[in-house]
């Protein structure tokens, strides 16, 4: 259920495709997707069994950053060219393709890496709140400096 779908007077307008003869919860249940997140090499190794046992899964998300860390690789936003990483990602892709499951994941980089991922992934998240907060760091330091200079606030 989208969390802000039922704000009275703002988002509670009729949605296309909903059956007015059924309650909102049954309508939204029909639109729900089941997505699992794989965050380790062991998860990738077990993905074929998981998708075989639970074919109702709609999409598989690769938690690349956590997966890389679990493999003892650098935490570089989930990207990398190490042999073991490339093999793990290829295995992930092959299993998803075998089971005809769309793939999802973060893609915080641009350029050719983003194009490459977009060719394979059905769901790419290109930005996240933590990155936006990090981008604000300079502005926050500057604001603190201005206030400190004016004698407002504590060290």
């Amino acid at each position: 259920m989208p969390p802000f779908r039922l704000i009275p007077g703002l988002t509670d307008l009729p949605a296309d495709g909903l059956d007015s003869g059924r309650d909102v919860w049954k309508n939204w249940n029909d639109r729900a997707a089941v997505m699992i997140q794989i965050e380790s090499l062991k998860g990738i190794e077990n993905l074929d069994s998981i998708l075989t046992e639970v074919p109702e899964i709609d999409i598989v998300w690769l938690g690349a950053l956590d997966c890389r860390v679990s493999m003892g690789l650098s935490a570089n936003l989930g990207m990398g060219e190490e042999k073991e990483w490339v093999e793990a990602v290829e295995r992930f892709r092959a299993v998803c393709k075998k089971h005809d499951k769309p793939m999802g994941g973060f893609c915080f980089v641009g350029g050719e890496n983003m194009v490459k991922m977009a060719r394979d992934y059905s769901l790419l998240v290109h930005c996240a709140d933590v990155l936006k907060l990090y981008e604000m760091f300079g502005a926050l330091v500057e604001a603190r400096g201005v206030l400190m200079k004016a004698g407002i606030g504590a060290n």
Side-chain angles (χ1 to χ4, degrees):
M1 162 94 194
F4 300 108
R5 177 67 187 114
L6 296 176
I7 298 172
L10 182 63
T11 61
D12 58 349
L13 304 173
D16 290 340
L18 294 184
D19 180 349
S20 62
R22 298 172 65 216
D23 70 47
V24 69
W25 306 110
K26 288 182 181 173
N27 274 291
W28 284 114
N29 277 339
D30 290 345
R31 293 172 173 230
V34 175
M35 178 169 58
I36 62 169
Q37 186 163 331
I38 301 297
E39 295 189 319
S40 67
L41 182 58
K42 187 160 186 90
I44 291 173
E45 292 167 351
N46 290 318
L47 184 56
D48 188 46
S49 296
I50 293 167
L51 295 176
T52 299
E53 292 292 320
V54 190
E56 298 84 6
I57 292 169
D58 295 304
I59 183 170
V60 183
W61 180 279
L62 178 60
L65 179 65
D66 292 321
C67 189
R68 286 182 58 80
V69 170
S70 82
M71 295 171 67
L73 301 172
S74 66
N76 63 358
L77 300 179
M79 303 302 289
E81 297 300 323
E82 302 90 348
K83 181 179 185 255
E84 61 267 39
W85 175 247
V86 171
E87 289 173 356
V89 172
E90 285 306 314
R91 185 170 183 181
F92 172 81
R93 287 180 174 151
V95 172
C96 287
K97 184 175 182 178
K98 172 185 173 185
H99 290 271
D100 195 28
K101 299 297 179 184
M103 299 177 292
F106 284 114
C107 180
F108 294 138
V109 297
E112 208 44 48
N113 282 327
M114 183 171 60
V115 170
K116 181 180 175 184
M117 284 186 74
R119 287 191 176 117
D120 293 332
Y121 284 62
S122 297
L123 174 63
L124 279 181
V125 174
H126 186 61
C127 193
D129 55 354
V130 71
L131 293 177
K132 291 298 157 194
L133 290 171
Y134 182 73
E135 289 174 8
M136 292 173 25
F137 183 75
L140 295 173
V141 168
E142 182 180 338
R144 183 175 187 209
V146 167
L147 295 174
M148 295 298 292
K149 187 175 180 180
I152 303 170
N155 288 332

